[in-house]
Amino acid sequence: MIDTVGNVDEIDKHVDDEIAACLNLRKPRSFFLFAGAGSGKTRSLVEALKHIGKTSGEELRLHDKHVAVVTYTKKARDEIISRTQFDPLFEVSTIHAFAWSIIRGFNHDIREWLRENLTSDIADLRQKENKGRKGTKASAERLADIEAKSRRLAQLDAVSSFVYNPDGENRGKGSLNHSDVLKMSGAFLRDKKVLQRVVRDGYPFILIDESQDTNKNIVEAMFAFQAQNRGAVALGLFGDMMQRIYPDGVANLGSNLPPDWATPVKKLNFRCPKRIITLLNKIREATDNQKQVPKSTATEGTIRMFIMPSSMEGKPSAELDIAKKMATITGDQKWGAPDQTKCLILEHKMAAKRLGFLEMFSPLYAFDPFRTGLRDGNLPCVAFFATSVAPLIEARDDKFAIMRVLNKFSPLLSPETLREANDQKAHLKKLQNAVESLFKLFASGSAPTFLTVLQEINKSRLFSIPDVLRPALAGAQFAEIDETALDWEEGLPEERSQRDVAVASFLAAPFSQIWLYQKYVQGLAQFDTHQGVKGLEFPRVMVVMDDSEAGGFSFKYDKLFTAGSEDDAITANTRRLFYVTCSRAEHSLCLVAYSADPQSVKNHVVSQGWFEDDEVLVL
């Protein structure tokens, strides 16, 4: 039981004091703060930073030391920077930016790491090519991949310094990709003594927000680094394992902490009304039995669960009708308004289907290594079109805007290219023709595919094409029917690279979908995913749970909501995701579940004590 005697709003006051005691330059102590949904985790993080600034800021600045703060999202980064008044003492960055900050400048080590990995990748591709059938799409894609990797390998010694942009595209012979930077930084922090000294001497305090989902390469390396530098560096983790929803993180973070770590716990939920907090406590009973209490001014709040057959037609229309029912039940007429209600669907492709960019999204999302970049909007094969090509198309009636895009992205306008041109007037005419040819693809309501646009750009050299797209260009000359006829070996079709299949399928989609996709990843659409709203909050939340439409295998709501289900990994994953979605609501919560057996779902969730009988409606 939670002791709520006295002022309930003060029950977590001691937590910030516990953290402050750990942030002592003379005796730094590592800690893991458990902070459930709506508990003011970010506030505690900011208070910790203010304490450091007040007690140790002068000494840290005198010795050119800083506090590293690693956030999960750019939005969280910007919020913390703002709340600490842009103090340069605190180096706040996303995980990718932080990873780059600690390996930047270690050019020799980066070069040798890349040399080893590229050599291994090329050998693997050549082995597959030797075993595979020649003259096929798969062979053409492999050969293009080998050529791209071999070219990069050959250029390594000519690169004096490597570059990386954590927030966008990375192209050019000295650029690094996102996954390489994470892998390298983790490996270097574990193995490179010089880098360990640099980090130790530069950052006596390293604080990691949303630590349960932070990339395990970095977190595991940080644990090893802290153990080697105990007494000199304090590692502070802020998080809640109940909110771990991505596989990138450490599975059991917090369960086997060193005995000298502090483990403060926050119990107050500032965000949610009483009824929703009661539900949250019931949801996590099977996991860790941590319980939260509402603030003294919390309202009662409203919850309803609507269950419908998974085989029904017209689901989006049914969800609109349910929003109208919620407006009646709550007396809140803002329910259902696109800019006033956040609708959470299980998978990004459900949003893609509702918003109209499924053809471009689905094949890329099916390839697991692409998922994070696709969710964040910085996947190179998509970002190429989104950051350079799409803005040029949008600017086709504005000459000044066209030149801004070309000056920024086109190699045909680079100073080196212009200097090398024998006839600059002819060269600029060539550029003009390239732009006009691209615009013609979109004339008179035409709907070109990404591939058509890419082929035109490849022909004109208007933009530098990322290596990941080149295998698809090489394979585009082979028809799918020819591949089926030729790729036959010992009775089985030859396996093409999953990456190349994904990219080729994406390129077959209409280019116009890029604008719908951009609106979605920028958070400007009504829809978002269950995973994508972690850390956010909204007055009115509708959670749509439809396993059949999502088609995923990591989360199964029907399994969670069915009596007698085993509490296996999938059920545990789904329970955590359910907790995250329900905890986003500030006023009222609407749950829409599709099931093959709606009545059984109702019986189970009521028997579990999650809902009262009149709160669950089978439609």
Side-chain angles (χ1 to χ4, degrees):
M1 293 292 292
I2 297 173
D3 182 9
T4 58
V5 176
N7 187 353
V8 68
D9 296 337
E10 299 292 324
I11 63 172
D12 288 340
K13 187 176 180 180
H14 66 95
V15 171
D16 290 343
D17 295 333
E18 287 183 45
I19 294 174
C22 296
L23 303 173
N24 185 325
L25 272 180
R26 303 289 171 262
K27 194 176 180 181
R29 184 184 182 190
S30 295
F31 63 89
F32 183 101
L33 168 66
F34 162 78
S39 62
K41 170 176 57 64
T42 301
R43 188 189 64 80
S44 287
L45 175 54
V46 171
E47 286 300 313
L49 296 177
K50 289 179 178 178
H51 173 80
I52 294 172
K54 182 178 179 180
T55 60
S56 307
E58 185 176 347
E59 183 175 351
L60 291 172
R61 291 184 178 92
L62 181 64
H63 295 92
D64 195 27
K65 296 176 183 287
H66 296 82
V67 179
V69 183
V70 182
T71 66
Y72 196 78
T73 65
K74 287 181 280 189
K75 182 176 181 180
R77 174 200 63 192
D78 295 342
E79 180 180 354
I80 293 170
I81 290 174
S82 176
R83 288 168 68 170
T84 53
Q85 299 181 328
F86 303 89
D87 190 335
L89 176 65
F90 309 119
E91 294 188 359
V92 189
S93 59
T94 61
I95 184 64
H96 290 90
F98 174 74
W100 175 236
S101 73
I102 63 177
I103 66 171
R104 183 175 52 214
F106 284 79
N107 293 300
H108 172 74
D109 298 286
I110 292 173
R111 184 179 297 107
E112 295 311 307
W113 189 93
L114 288 171
R115 194 190 312 278
E116 181 179 344
N117 280 267
L118 286 168
T119 301
S120 175
D121 290 347
I122 292 168
D124 182 57
L125 285 166
R126 283 178 173 157
Q127 184 179 27
K128 291 178 179 177
E129 178 62 18
N130 290 335
K131 292 181 178 180
R133 192 70 180 265
K134 308 301 182 287
T136 64
K137 179 184 286 242
S139 175
E141 291 169 344
R142 276 196 301 268
L143 291 172
D145 208 6
I146 290 171
E147 180 185 357
K149 290 181 183 294
S150 298
R151 183 171 62 251
R152 191 180 186 198
L153 181 61
Q155 293 172 339
L156 281 180
D157 290 325
V159 178
S160 58
S161 61
F162 292 89
V163 295
Y164 170 70
N165 177 6
D167 296 327
E169 285 188 276
N170 290 281
R171 285 185 275 172
K173 63 182 181 180
S175 65
L176 302 171
N177 64 47
H178 302 298
S179 62
D180 281 349
V181 167
L182 290 178
K183 291 175 184 176
M184 267 189 279
S185 57
F188 290 4
L189 191 58
R190 285 191 302 268
D191 304 332
K192 306 291 182 185
K193 297 296 183 183
V194 173
L195 186 142
Q196 291 173 3
R197 287 197 297 272
V198 169
V199 176
R200 180 196 64 202
D201 295 341
Y203 304 104
F205 304 116
I206 301 174
L207 309 181
I208 302 179
D209 192 18
E210 299 288 1
S211 55
Q212 74 278 351
D213 278 323
T214 302
N215 182 269
K216 62 183 177 183
N217 288 310
I218 300 298
V219 173
E220 290 174 349
M222 279 294 170
F223 268 93
F225 168 73
Q226 187 275 330
Q228 294 166 357
N229 295 276
R230 187 175 284 109
V233 174
L235 183 62
L237 307 181
F238 294 72
D240 173 13
M241 288 305 291
M242 190 65 186
Q243 297 185 69
R244 177 179 176 262
I245 54 177
Y246 292 121
D248 294 347
V250 178
N252 298 309
L253 184 65
S255 60
N256 296 303
L257 294 173
D260 61 329
W261 280 47
T263 55
V265 176
K266 302 196 79 171
K267 297 177 180 178
L268 192 64
N269 185 317
F270 289 95
R271 175 191 303 146
C272 302
K274 298 174 183 177
R275 179 63 190 92
I276 293 177
I277 293 174
T278 300
L279 173 63
L280 298 178
N281 289 339
K282 292 297 293 186
I283 292 172
R284 71 183 303 159
E285 269 184 1
T287 302
D288 58 15
N289 208 30
Q290 292 279 0
K291 293 188 181 296
Q292 291 183 300
V293 296
K295 63 182 179 180
S296 60
T297 57
T299 59
E300 186 60 34
T302 303
I303 290 179
R304 288 295 185 274
M305 184 174 190
F306 298 85
I307 313 172
M308 295 177 286
S310 54
S311 59
M312 70 175 289
E313 300 290 334
K315 293 177 181 178
S317 177
E319 290 154 18
L320 290 175
D321 290 339
I322 287 174
K324 293 176 182 178
K325 288 183 172 64
M326 285 298 296
T328 300
I329 292 169
T330 61
D332 181 355
Q333 296 308 308
K334 292 182 179 180
W335 251 104
D339 59 340
Q340 299 291 334
T341 305
K342 180 59 73 170
C343 183
L344 308 182
I345 66 278
L346 182 55
E347 286 283 347
H348 289 278
K349 62 183 181 181
M350 292 171 66
K353 181 178 180 181
R354 284 164 166 79
L355 295 172
F357 59 91
L358 184 64
E359 290 95 333
M360 68 158 284
F361 187 90
S362 187
L364 296 174
Y365 197 63
F367 183 50
D368 191 65
F370 279 172
R371 288 192 170 189
T372 299
L374 191 62
R375 287 195 303 257
D376 297 342
N378 57 25
L379 184 67
C381 61
V382 178
F384 166 71
F385 294 104
T387 60
S388 54
V389 186
L392 183 63
I393 303 303
E394 289 178 303
R396 58 185 180 271
D397 295 323
D398 184 338
K399 292 181 180 180
F400 293 104
I402 289 173
M403 290 307 298
R404 282 196 297 270
V405 175
L406 294 176
N407 274 314
K408 186 173 183 180
F409 295 110
S410 178
L412 296 181
L413 271 184
S414 70
E416 296 83 0
T417 303
L418 291 174
R419 281 196 301 267
E420 293 171 1
N422 295 323
D423 185 341
Q424 287 204 357
K425 185 175 181 180
H427 178 76
L428 292 175
K429 181 62 176 177
K430 176 185 175 183
L431 174 65
Q432 181 182 349
N433 291 338
V435 173
E436 290 176 353
S437 295
L438 181 62
F439 287 170
K440 283 180 182 177
L441 296 179
F442 295 86
S444 303
S446 300
T449 65
F450 285 95
L451 178 60
T452 304
V453 172
L454 184 65
Q455 288 171 324
E456 180 61 38
I457 291 170
N458 185 52
K459 182 172 67 176
S460 67
R461 303 294 189 265
L462 185 60
F463 297 112
S464 297
I465 296 174
D467 285 340
V468 70
L469 293 172
R470 293 198 173 277
L473 271 175
Q477 60 185 305
F478 294 88
E480 288 295 333
I481 189 169
D482 293 336
E483 178 195 1
T484 304
L486 291 171
D487 287 357
W488 200 261
E489 195 168 295
E490 297 181 2
L492 292 173
E494 181 181 9
E495 181 183 353
R496 290 167 58 201
S497 160
Q498 288 182 307
R499 184 201 67 180
D500 294 334
V501 171
V503 171
S505 298
F506 150 67
L507 290 174
F511 184 88
S512 59
Q513 294 187 7
I514 192 70
W515 289 290
L516 301 172
Y517 163 78
Q518 283 182 286
K519 182 179 180 181
Y520 175 64
V521 296
Q522 291 168 3
L524 302 177
Q526 179 184 7
F527 296 97
D528 211 325
T529 62
H530 295 195
Q531 301 92 328
V533 293
K534 185 160 62 78
L536 303 179
E537 55 192 32
F538 312 95
R540 290 155 288 277
V541 174
M542 174 183 286
V543 184
V544 178
M545 298 161 286
D546 187 352
D547 297 336
S548 62
E549 185 179 356
F553 56 87
S554 299
F555 305 103
K556 296 289 185 183
Y557 277 101
D558 220 16
K559 190 177 179 67
L560 175 67
F561 294 148
T562 302
S565 295
E566 294 182 16
D567 195 16
D568 55 14
I570 292 176
T571 306
N573 288 343
T574 309
R575 182 183 294 108
R576 291 196 299 269
L577 192 62
F578 187 50
Y579 176 89
V580 168
T581 58
C582 293
S583 61
R584 300 307 97 196
E586 297 174 291
H587 298 157
S588 51
L589 172 67
C590 172
L591 304 165
V592 181
Y594 294 94
S595 172
D597 190 350
Q599 190 60 49
S600 291
V601 170
K602 174 174 181 175
N603 294 342
H604 180 64
V605 296
V606 172
S607 68
Q608 292 293 302
W610 290 4
F611 303 95
E612 298 297 328
D613 187 81
D614 61 355
E615 292 177 325
V616 184
L617 295 88
V618 176
L619 302 182

